[in-house]
Amino acid sequence: MKYGLVLEGGAMRGLFTAGVLDVLMENGIDFDGAVGVSAGACFGCNYKSRQRGRAIRYNTRFCRDKRYCSVKSLLTTGDMFGADFCYHRIPDELDPFDSETFKNDPMEFFAVCTDVETGKAVYHRCHDAGYSDLEWIRASASMPLAARIVCHEGRKLLDGGISDSIPLRFMEAAGYEKNVVILTRPRSYTKSHSKTEKLIELRYKKYPALVKACLNRPEVYNRQLRYVGEAETDGRAFVIAPETALPISHIEHDQDVLLEVYRTGRMTAKKCLEELKDFLGIVTDEQE
């Protein structure tokens, strides 16, 4: 049986996921494959590179750096989160990403993007975390209106959350029979239409399929959330989610807030750790 890991996005809410993943790493819990959307891809890739603590470390270090995330970066480069600084300078120089471990670790890792011209999800398997893979991860997290369209490998790409926010069906179709799903909103959350929809229609009028996907996102997301709940009831999925809404915005410059969300993820993971091990068939010392 293959066990998978499904990582929802959510910009800085993804630090909840980072906290959960660090606890799983500390307890030696492995998966056969993982899929990350947006922040789920950005922070989740550290699971395959086995770099516990890296996501919270560089986020708290650079959260006030205008090159990392700022309106200035958006106005001068077209990206709220600086493309070169976030996806190349940090992993290459300032907080090195262990691409060798990533490459050699047997876990499959997929990043979800949205094809701007079709409005459909694209699932890219990352092999070595080299420049090309990092561009796929950047595209996965390139939010509409807050980032440029990423032109890569013959495609025009944006945020994977537009087309597949919680890709549990993808993992099941790929042969992963049991999946751990980490959400960044409470189970009771219901997505509603955004106030930015008119801006999206104007900005992306050349890409009607993308606009349609953006406008349909609330309905699609809510169906996916129901599907996750059904999978959990059937015993095919194990869901880890915050109990209440996380006190953080998409863009956050306060280190204390980042740490609070990360610690919430850690506490949530610790609370359900034994139940999770049972779901994964992990025999503990007490059970032997």
Side-chain angles (χ1 to χ4, degrees):
M1 181 175 292
K2 292 172 69 176
Y3 292 90
L5 185 60
V6 179
L7 308 175
E8 183 185 14
M12 286 304 170
R13 293 196 313 274
L15 287 175
F16 172 86
T17 300
V20 173
L21 295 181
D22 281 355
V23 169
L24 300 190
M25 278 193 273
E26 290 164 6
N27 285 273
I29 296 176
D30 296 324
F31 295 88
D32 299 297
V35 60
V37 183
S38 194
C42 292
F43 301 157
C45 61
N46 294 292
Y47 204 87
K48 183 171 165 63
S49 69
R50 304 299 169 181
Q51 289 178 280
R52 180 172 60 86
R54 181 174 179 269
I56 188 61
R57 182 175 64 239
Y58 74 72
N59 273 283
T60 52
R61 178 182 174 187
F62 297 114
C63 64
R64 294 192 180 98
D65 192 316
K66 287 182 168 48
R67 297 170 298 174
Y68 184 66
C69 176
S70 66
V71 173
K72 179 181 179 181
S73 176
L74 178 62
L75 294 175
T76 57
T77 71
D79 296 302
M80 184 74 76
F81 288 85
D84 182 67
F85 187 76
C86 293
Y87 295 97
H88 300 294
R89 188 156 181 214
I90 289 177
D92 290 345
E93 304 172 26
L94 301 175
D95 196 322
F97 185 78
D98 190 346
S99 57
E100 193 64 25
T101 296
F102 183 96
K103 179 180 178 180
N104 293 326
D105 188 272
M107 184 180 78
E108 294 184 321
F109 188 85
F110 300 90
V112 185
C113 302
T114 298
D115 187 304
V116 168
E117 295 180 315
T118 67
K120 303 295 185 181
V122 181
Y123 307 92
H124 172 76
R125 183 179 175 186
C126 300
H127 292 280
D128 59 8
Y131 184 90
S132 179
D133 280 350
L134 292 178
E135 283 293 279
W136 279 99
I137 291 173
R138 175 167 80 91
S140 180
S142 292
M143 297 179 290
L145 305 178
R148 293 170 294 169
I149 292 172
V150 178
C151 298
H152 188 56
E153 295 189 1
R155 293 182 182 268
K156 295 179 179 179
L157 304 164
L158 276 178
D159 189 347
I162 298 168
S163 53
D164 196 352
S165 295
I166 315 172
L168 174 58
R169 289 182 187 270
F170 164 76
M171 288 298 277
E172 290 179 336
Y176 292 89
E177 299 169 76
K178 284 198 169 186
N179 291 277
V180 175
V181 181
I182 303 180
L183 304 175
T184 59
R185 294 190 188 274
R187 297 163 183 262
S188 59
Y189 174 76
T190 299
K191 184 175 280 296
S192 56
H193 286 274
S194 169
K195 295 177 182 178
T196 64
E197 287 182 353
K198 290 296 182 184
L199 289 174
I200 287 174
E201 288 182 278
L202 289 171
R203 174 78 174 272
Y204 302 108
K205 59 185 179 182
K206 288 173 55 180
Y207 305 104
L210 176 71
V211 171
K212 182 179 179 181
C214 290
L215 299 184
N216 289 342
R217 189 179 179 191
E219 289 78 13
V220 173
Y221 180 89
N222 294 333
R223 284 201 303 269
Q224 288 185 319
L225 203 54
R226 288 193 295 271
Y227 183 80
V228 169
E230 292 164 4
E232 184 179 33
T233 300
D234 291 345
R236 306 191 323 268
F238 187 96
V239 180
I240 302 175
E243 294 180 1
T244 59
L246 297 170
I248 194 168
S249 61
H250 276 72
I251 300 163
E252 185 59 65
H253 302 294
D254 189 324
Q255 292 178 332
D256 291 337
V257 173
L258 298 175
L259 285 166
E260 179 183 355
V261 170
Y262 170 77
R263 288 167 180 158
T264 299
R266 290 187 60 87
M267 288 188 293
T268 304
K270 288 178 179 180
K271 281 183 182 179
C272 66
L273 191 58
E274 294 308 313
E275 190 180 353
L276 173 62
K277 288 179 179 179
D278 185 60
F279 173 80
L280 296 172
I282 297 173
V283 178
T284 61
D285 292 338
E286 292 78 9
Q287 294 171 314
E288 291 179 339

